[in-house]
Amino acid sequence: DADVTQTPRNRITKTGKRIMLECSQTKGHDRMYWYRQDPGLGLRLIYYSFDVKDINKGEISDGYSVSRQAQAKFSLSLESAIPNQTALYFCATSEAGKNSPLHFGNGTRLTVT
Amino acid sequence: SQKIEQNSEALNIQEGKTATLTCNYTNYSPAYLQWYRQDPGRGPVFLLLIRENEKEKRKERLKVTFDTTLKQSLFHITASQPADSATYLCALVKGTGGFKTIFGAGTRLFVKA
């Protein structure tokens, strides 16, 4: 499903480096999210945005920041990467409304050495 | 704290049989519950949604039940096929947005031919 596109798909970086993960969508959804997935744990919400001017912290926002450049673009930054940020990162979108499911990209696998 | 649990052990079944996956939750009163499928290297894909006032929902070979007294949802795949092999995620949603979505860690299903 190319409606939600994440770049890069894989990234290896060193401790202390700043890194940005990008997400773009063609679904026309206002709401965008960044999740992190670790083995044995459920997806955990890092940040979410209900529109271009609205940014909210999720469950695990420490060490991360986001930017909503446009309705279709939502990027996640790790200011100073550390090894325990090694994980699979997913961007998702949804329509407004409580019945709206999440539409995920195919993820970015990030390794911090 | 709010918790959602899925069987961490993989489920192995024979083709043609019915697969049943369990999702239990505590300290949470979801408005509705979603099930997603995730294939290796891909993002989760939405399958079904069931509301708190619904007991059962069906879609083709899929059936979901939701028991708010037991705090449990069961996900059934009838006449299972090897192509059904994937990880299945349960997600609880309360309110009007993904920011109140909690995911289980998922159960891996293997269907043998």
Side-chain angles (χ1 to χ4, degrees):
Chain A
D1 183 15
D3 295 330
V4 182
T5 302
Q6 293 185 234
T7 56
R9 288 298 312 276
N10 292 282
R11 180 72 184 266
I12 300 173
T13 191
K14 293 184 183 298
T15 298
K17 294 291 187 182
R18 185 177 189 276
I19 182 170
M20 179 182 291
L21 309 183
E22 300 191 11
C23 176
S24 62
Q25 53 118 345
T26 58
K27 299 190 78 67
H29 292 165
D30 286 328
R31 298 183 174 192
M32 297 188 75
Y33 312 80
W34 276 103
Y35 282 89
R36 166 179 174 158
Q37 188 175 43
D38 298 275
L41 299 177
L43 289 157
R44 292 182 291 166
L45 184 63
I46 306 172
Y47 270 94
Y48 61 98
S49 169
F50 282 0
D51 64 43
V52 175
K53 297 180 181 179
D54 177 76
I55 301 289
N56 303 281
K57 292 182 177 181
E59 178 187 353
I60 54 165
S61 60
D62 287 348
Y64 302 95
S65 62
V66 291
S67 174
R68 185 81 184 266
Q69 301 94 326
Q71 189 218 27
K73 294 184 182 296
F74 192 35
S75 60
L76 174 73
S77 293
L78 285 66
E79 300 302 325
S80 179
I82 56 177
N84 77 0
Q85 291 178 313
T86 293
L88 196 51
Y89 290 85
F90 287 102
C91 174
T93 72
S94 75
E95 296 178 298
K98 57 186 175 183
N99 293 337
S100 300
L102 295 168
H103 299 263
F104 287 87
N106 283 326
T108 294
R109 184 170 296 280
L110 176 66
T111 303
V112 183
T113 62
Chain B
S1 62
Q2 298 163 345
K3 188 185 286 188
I4 176 169
E5 292 182 340
Q6 296 184 253
N7 194 337
S8 59
E9 293 184 12
L11 179 63
N12 291 279
I13 65 168
Q14 200 67 35
E15 182 176 12
K17 300 293 185 183
T18 296
T20 299
L21 286 69
T22 304
C23 175
N24 295 297
Y25 59 93
T26 58
N27 298 325
Y28 204 56
S29 298
Y32 56 98
L33 187 147
Q34 300 172 338
W35 283 89
Y36 291 78
R37 169 183 172 142
Q38 185 174 20
D39 292 285
R42 307 295 297 270
V45 175
F46 172 73
L47 295 174
L48 276 173
L49 174 153
I50 186 166
R51 295 175 180 78
E52 60 181 336
N53 60 352
E54 296 177 316
K55 296 290 187 185
E56 182 179 297
K57 199 77 168 284
R58 292 176 184 261
K59 179 182 177 182
E60 298 173 350
R61 294 185 295 111
L62 309 180
K63 184 179 84 170
V64 173
T65 63
F66 194 11
D67 189 325
T68 55
T69 300
L70 291 179
K71 295 187 181 297
Q72 181 181 78
S73 174
L74 298 179
F75 178 81
H76 306 272
I77 305 174
T78 59
S80 60
Q81 304 166 0
D84 295 325
S85 299
T87 297
Y88 292 86
L89 309 178
C90 151
L92 304 183
V93 186
K94 182 175 182 180
T96 58
F99 65 98
K100 290 190 183 295
T101 302
I102 299 177
F103 282 87
T107 298
R108 189 76 187 271
L109 172 67
F110 292 98
V111 181
K112 294 180 290 186

